[in-house]
Amino acid sequence: MIRQANERDTSVIHSLVCESIQQSYSPYYSQEILDFFFEHHNLANIREDILQGNTYVLEANGSCVGTGTYSDNCIRRVFIHPAFQNKGYGSILMDHLEAQILQKYPKVTLSSSITGHPFYINRGYYDVENAQIPLKDNLSLEYTVMEK
């Protein structure tokens, strides 16, 4: 079941996002980049997105197994708990988010991590540009902007 997130979901979503980042991203990103993701997806940012009304929770057997947010035509913060990945939950959540966006916009955009890129390609997204965010100590986070 997918439902709109409410403020009471903030800590549950935050925990899910952090656990997903730690388990899914750590083989691919340095600790400095992981720290950037943790800060970017902090409690305050998650709460603010929930209050905007565009954050959703995907539940299975009464537990939060995934979350996703959109703003205008851009999908953001899509995470599926590691124990539930590769079971179709990501597709269910993306179908919902894309449907919300396509009611108002002709295309959907997103920024893809290394780990999400193959999933988005399989969903029909294509690369628009490679981008980066400069971090401290001459590091940068590289990601791909994609559209469908």
Side-chain angles (χ1 to χ4, degrees), residues 21 25 28-41 79 111-115 129-145:
I21 289 169
Y25 287 11
Y28 303 97
Y29 293 108
S30 69
Q31 186 59 52
E32 293 81 5
I33 292 175
L34 293 176
D35 291 342
F36 169 82
F37 282 121
F38 291 132
E39 176 55 31
H40 181 67
H41 299 293
F79 287 95
S111 297
S112 176
S113 64
I114 293 169
T115 58
E129 71 175 298
N130 292 317
Q132 60 182 339
I133 298 171
L135 305 174
K136 63 182 179 181
D137 299 328
N138 294 323
L139 291 174
S140 63
L141 168 61
E142 296 181 9
Y143 63 95
T144 305
V145 176

Side-chain angles (χ1 to χ4, degrees), residues 44-92:
N45 289 343
I46 290 170
R47 181 179 178 277
E48 182 60 33
D49 284 341
I50 289 170
L51 294 175
Q52 294 296 316
N54 297 328
T55 296
Y56 293 86
V57 170
L58 173 61
E59 294 179 330
N61 299 321
S63 297
C64 176
V65 300
T67 186
T69 298
Y70 72 91
S71 178
D72 297 323
N73 73 324
C74 184
I75 292 177
R76 302 185 350 239
R77 194 180 292 118
V78 173
F79 287 95
I80 302 298
H81 188 281
F84 294 89
Q85 291 176 3
N86 300 310
K87 298 179 193 269
Y89 291 107
S91 293
I92 292 168

Side-chain angles (χ1 to χ4, degrees), residues 76-128:
R76 302 185 350 239
R77 194 180 292 118
V78 173
F79 287 95
I80 302 298
H81 188 281
F84 294 89
Q85 291 176 3
N86 300 310
K87 298 179 193 269
Y89 291 107
S91 293
I92 292 168
L93 187 57
M94 287 295 295
D95 288 345
H96 180 80
L97 295 170
E98 289 170 359
Q100 297 296 311
I101 291 170
L102 292 172
Q103 290 177 19
K104 298 179 186 175
Y105 298 94
K107 63 183 174 182
V108 179
T109 65
L110 55 81
S111 297
S112 176
S113 64
I114 293 169
T115 58
H117 194 261
F119 172 74
Y120 296 127
I121 291 289
N122 286 336
R123 289 192 59 80
Y125 286 83
Y126 56 90
D127 296 356
V128 174

